[in-house]
Structure formats: C-alpha cells, structure tokens
Amino acid sequence: MNIKWLLTAAGLLLATLQLTAQIHFTESFENPTSTWVGYFTGNVDFPSGTWEFNAVFPEQSSNSYDGSKACRINDDVVGANITTPAVNTVGSVSFYYHRPFSGTGEFILQKSIGGGPFINLDTVDFSSVSSVNVAALYTFDVNDGNNNIRIRVMNDDNTAHLAIDLFEVTEFATSGPDIPDGFTAFPSNSTRIDLSATANTSGDSVMI
C-alpha cells in the first residue's frame, strides 16, 4: 500500500470541504441592449440583467479600466448612482473605480432587500484613494443570505465624477461541514490507515 498517496489523498479530502462562492455576474458595461446615451437616468439592459442608472454616462474607452466602456456617475447631482439587477444572496461585491477628472467625493455602497429601502454598507473617500485616471480595486463582503437583493453605488452630489468598471457580485456561500481543528492519518499496518480528528471549537459538524 502506498502510504504517502493515502496521506496526500486525506489532505486533499479536507481541502475540498472548503466552500467557494459562485459568481452571480461580472459586468463590464460593454454591450448594452437598450438605449444608453449622455448622462442617462433610467433602466439599461446588459447581459447581467437590468441596471438602474441615475445620471450615468457611458465612459469612453480611454477612461475605462476594461474594454471600451465604463459607468461615469455624474458629479453635482443629488442621488446619482448605479444599481444592480436583483440577485438571491450576496457574498461579496467588487469593482474598479477612478476619477476621470479632478474633484473630491465619497461613494456609498448600499443594499436593498426585497424591494425595501436602501441601507448604507460602506463609505469610501475615492478622491484620496484613487488618483485621476488611475483605477483602484474595491471589494466589500456583504454576506447576506436573503433573496431579491440589489446593490447600489451612490455618488451623491460630490464635486468629482466617479467611474466604475468590471463590477462583480458573488453568491453567499452558506456554511457546510467544517474542517476539524486537529487531524491525523497514521498507518497501523500495510493494509490499514487510522484517521483521527478533533472537533472544531465552533461546534460545527465535521466531515472527514
């Protein structure tokens, strides 16, 4: 019996217990299938679904992080924002952002559940983090298991425009069998291997 192979297989078995979040969508805003011209307010359809825009311009390729377009959210407009299609559960939200012109401002990440009011999740001073025309990656863990969730990025009456591109939303991966705190695999003879595990401190079910 190949004891080394058995020990390796046991390690791989533990590794497979870790959960990986699935991606709802990654939207680069390249291919709208409905009208999107000027600083647009209304619904715009993309492969990822229907987005709600308030004062959002189709950014030119030279000011886009990925491809030929991005979302430029207007400055000096109360409530200017982009809002995602509704999805069931949200793990994380990520996108690239930058200022296409000078100015200052904060963007606000919000969520709405089941058509309810939008609540604030995070606030970022994007004028201090991202230089003009230099993109920065933003990631936030929402970790919400509810259905019918919409995510909004608000550029509320700031003096700076905010460009957003390559917007990704993942599913929320609920916990399953956990990995034990302690695990050993010991060959007792040429045909047998003994496994031993210590329950994890969180009290979750353990699978080996």
Side-chain angles (χ1 to χ4, degrees):
M1 181 179 66
N2 190 327
I3 299 299
K4 183 178 180 180
W5 182 88
L6 282 173
L7 291 172
T8 301
L12 289 174
L13 178 61
L14 285 175
T16 60
L17 296 177
Q18 300 182 35
L19 298 172
T20 302
Q22 300 298 308
I23 297 173
H24 279 304
F25 60 79
T26 303
E27 184 56 69
S28 60
F29 308 105
E30 296 296 298
N31 300 299
T33 57
S34 59
T35 301
W36 182 24
V37 294
Y39 282 100
F40 186 80
T41 296
N43 294 336
V44 181
D45 296 326
F46 293 94
S48 58
T50 300
W51 290 65
E52 180 183 315
F53 288 170
N54 184 0
V56 181
F57 184 85
E59 186 62 273
Q60 58 188 342
S61 59
S62 60
N63 281 341
S64 299
Y65 174 78
D66 178 72
S68 63
K69 289 188 181 69
C71 288
R72 183 204 296 172
I73 308 176
N74 208 357
D75 63 346
D76 300 316
V77 175
V78 175
N81 74 81
I82 62 173
T83 304
T84 70
V87 294
N88 292 336
T89 82
V90 173
S92 66
V93 172
S94 64
F95 53 83
Y96 286 87
Y97 68 95
H98 71 275
R99 289 178 296 150
F101 314 109
S102 62
T104 61
E106 296 178 335
F107 70 74
I108 304 171
L109 185 75
Q110 301 178 316
K111 72 175 179 180
S112 167
I113 301 172
F118 281 87
I119 61 174
N120 294 350
L121 299 175
D122 194 23
T123 301
V124 175
D125 181 355
F126 64 88
S127 52
S128 67
V129 175
S130 174
S131 301
V132 173
N133 285 331
V134 177
L137 175 63
Y138 173 77
T139 301
F140 185 86
D141 291 328
V142 179
N143 293 339
D144 193 318
N146 285 292
N147 291 334
N148 192 17
I149 300 174
R150 303 186 77 193
I151 299 297
R152 173 173 288 175
V153 179
M154 179 90 70
N155 186 34
D156 189 21
D157 200 18
N158 290 311
T159 63
H161 297 77
L162 173 65
I164 290 179
D165 206 355
L166 211 62
F167 199 114
E168 183 173 280
V169 177
T170 69
E171 296 178 357
F172 178 53
T174 56
S175 61
D178 208 346
I179 296 174
D181 286 347
F183 175 78
T184 59
F186 183 77
S188 59
N189 55 48
S190 61
T191 61
R192 174 178 169 178
I193 184 167
D194 293 330
L195 306 179
S196 176
T198 302
N200 61 59
T201 54
S202 61
D204 294 333
S205 299
V206 170
M207 179 183 290
I208 300 177

